[in-house]
Amino acid sequence: MIPVTKPFLPPQEEYNKYLTGIWRRNWLTNMGPLASELEMKLKEHLKLDHLLYVTNGTVALQMAIKAFDLKGEIITTPFSFVATTSSIVWEGCEPVFVDIEEESLNIDTSKIEAAITENTTAILATHVYGNPCDVVAIEKIARKYHLKVIYDGAHAFGVQINGKSIFEYGDISICSLHATKLYHSIEGGLIITKDATLLKKLAYIRNFGFNGPEAFAELGINGKNSEFHAAMGLANLEYISQITDQRRKLTLQYDDKLKMLRARRPLWHLNSENNFAYYPIVFENETTMLKSMEYLKTHEIFTRRYFYPSLANTLPYLEPQDFEITDKVAQCVLCLPLYPDLSLEEVDFICRLLLRVQNN
Ligand SMILES: Cc1ncc(COP(=O)(O)O)c(C=O)c1O
């Protein structure tokens, strides 16, 4: 059986070493030494001045919206994971969807201005599959209309533009460190900002708003993460180059073997390099995509329609809305298996099956 993804696990004895320390200190959560060490090492690894390690990417999104006390309408993409939209609704704001670009699959910045009203307070855009949005265009629009910019970089661990971390763009960025992600701490998330004052506020928010044992600075939530999760993050960080190298090899193999497949790859930002988090392909139509998915399934190979369906016309708490490009792409997109344990031979086999479906 070949799953669509499989979490990376470090050698067990390396995780156990961290457990010994946890048992010795008896400090399990509440920003313990491992969580702090992870923050420090991630700042170094990602070349960032500030970041916070939090419970997960969803809480990070909610904390970002709360930190700016956003109200009213937030412009966002319908082609993302549900947490991008649900966080907006959860925080009492209204998502206003803007269609995506056909090539990059990210929010179409040329359509943002038309969606801005006097109630718009922010743009929340996703770097879909880790592929950077047009951050320059978004910044220009945000400046013109005095909007906050939050980036959902759940997939974008390690991505840079012109050598600078993608997480440096916008007012706040978030990342997910969920087990299915390129780099993970079982559950976990990062919240990143360049603004030290804002970071302090976010740190209060992460810890119920506490400012000392008997005082409160903010309305807060429990956004902390545990020492056990941080330990996994630390153990996995040692393997990040290996993980990325292996994913790169597999991706190049797919690229090579699928040259003749009538399906396209999203166009990656020209000043950035893929982090190989996913291997999405967009088929010419839904019928071919479904046929391919089913055929792979008969060989115990599992793919995922990620993201399907469009967030704009399926959530029970929102009025359904159609978007030409999003609807088309969501129907035709398929993510192929990609994880460090996958072998080149398995990739070859998957590619042969896909070409066989096409040629039948
Ligand atoms: C685009 C996007 N945003 C947000 C999230 C939520 O992250 P988490 O699962 O860490 O809460 C995910 C998770 O898959 C995601 O893909």
Side-chain angles (χ1 to χ4, degrees):
M1 197 271 277
I2 302 180
V4 66
T5 188
K6 205 194 266 185
F8 174 83
L9 278 172
Q12 199 175 338
E13 53 288 2
E14 293 179 21
Y15 188 67
N16 287 348
K17 264 194 271 171
Y18 287 107
L19 295 186
T20 307
I22 295 177
W23 254 258
R24 199 179 56 239
R25 288 184 294 273
N26 208 336
W27 188 346
L28 308 187
T29 185
N30 288 3
M31 297 320 297
L34 296 182
S36 303
E37 187 183 337
L38 181 63
E39 285 183 343
M40 205 185 66
K41 290 207 164 141
L42 285 174
K43 276 191 267 189
E44 216 173 270
H45 178 79
L46 298 168
K47 298 193 191 78
L48 292 167
D49 289 335
H50 308 296
L51 62 76
L52 294 176
Y53 178 50
V54 298
T55 323
N56 54 55
T58 308
V59 162
L61 281 172
Q62 289 170 213
M63 286 172 59
I65 297 169
K66 189 65 87 192
F68 292 129
D69 197 20
L70 294 177
K71 306 268 185 278
E73 298 169 6
I74 299 182
I75 292 188
T76 190
T77 170
F79 190 69
S80 185
F81 182 65
V82 64
T84 317
T85 306
S86 65
S87 302
I88 295 174
V89 178
W90 197 268
E91 291 303 323
C93 298
E94 188 187 334
V96 173
F97 293 113
V98 167
D99 206 355
I100 56 168
E101 279 168 6
E102 188 137 25
E103 293 201 321
S104 71
L105 312 186
N106 283 326
I107 194 164
D108 187 340
T109 53
S110 72
K111 294 182 179 155
I112 291 181
E113 281 195 86
I116 294 175
T117 72
E118 57 184 16
N119 298 321
T120 308
T121 53
I123 300 170
L124 199 179
T126 301
H127 302 303
V128 175
Y129 309 122
N131 184 16
C133 294
D134 186 345
V135 289
V136 174
I138 290 175
E139 186 177 334
K140 214 163 138 196
I141 298 166
R143 283 227 179 113
K144 183 168 167 193
Y145 294 92
H146 309 290
L147 305 175
K148 295 292 180 198
V149 177
I150 299 171
Y151 283 116
D152 182 340
H155 306 164
F157 188 88
V159 172
Q160 301 185 334
I161 298 186
N162 294 325
K164 178 169 137 180
S165 170
I166 185 68
F167 297 142
E168 286 205 41
Y169 293 85
D171 295 291
I172 292 182
S173 292
I174 73 96
C175 184
S176 167
L177 305 187
H178 182 257
T180 54
K181 299 295 185 281
L182 165 78
Y183 165 72
H184 77 90
S185 67
I186 312 170
E187 291 277 357
L190 300 175
I191 186 156
I192 304 111
T193 174
K194 284 187 301 230
D195 179 341
T197 313
L198 182 58
L199 188 90
K200 200 165 170 195
K201 182 173 182 172
L202 287 162
Y204 288 135
I205 292 177
R206 175 176 65 175
N207 189 26
F208 307 100
F210 273 118
N211 177 18
E214 291 157 11
F216 297 93
E218 294 289 338
L219 169 64
I221 194 171
N222 184 356
K224 298 176 274 95
N225 213 333
S226 82
E227 290 291 276
F228 294 83
H229 292 86
M232 184 60 83
L234 285 166
N236 283 346
L237 197 56
E238 299 295 320
Y239 291 89
I240 191 68
S241 344
Q242 251 173 269
I243 294 170
T244 309
D245 286 350
Q246 181 60 11
R247 285 173 169 273
R248 179 187 292 109
K249 268 189 216 142
L250 296 164
T251 298
L252 295 178
Q253 187 81 349
Y254 270 129
D255 286 349
D256 184 42
K257 301 287 167 172
L258 291 179
K259 273 193 209 124
M260 302 307 285
L261 189 75
R262 287 194 298 277
R264 67 183 170 96
R265 299 266 291 132
L267 182 68
W268 200 269
H269 192 294
L270 295 178
N271 300 326
S272 170
E273 203 206 342
N274 198 331
N275 64 349
F276 314 105
Y278 297 91
Y279 196 92
I281 48 175
V282 185
F283 285 87
E284 287 175 331
N285 54 58
E286 190 177 24
T287 313
T288 322
M289 188 281 297
L290 288 173
K291 231 167 93 180
S292 307
M293 186 171 86
E294 288 309 317
Y295 191 56
L296 290 178
K297 216 189 276 175
T298 60
H299 289 78
E300 300 250 294
I301 297 165
F302 297 92
T303 53
R304 182 154 180 219
R305 302 184 77 183
Y306 198 55
F307 308 103
Y308 172 84
S310 153
L311 295 171
N313 57 22
T314 37
L315 299 176
Y317 41 86
L318 294 177
E319 278 299 313
Q321 250 181 305
D322 295 333
F323 287 96
E324 190 191 339
I325 314 286
T326 300
D327 293 350
K328 193 168 85 185
V329 169
Q331 277 166 8
C332 301
V333 72
L334 196 65
C335 283
L336 303 183
L338 186 63
Y339 50 89
D341 266 4
L342 190 69
S343 68
L344 292 174
E345 291 70 32
E346 285 170 321
V347 169
D348 288 351
F349 181 51
I350 295 168
C351 296
R352 272 203 306 278
L353 295 176
L354 285 170
L355 289 167
R356 195 183 296 161
V357 185
Q358 172 179 284
N359 299 329
N360 273 336

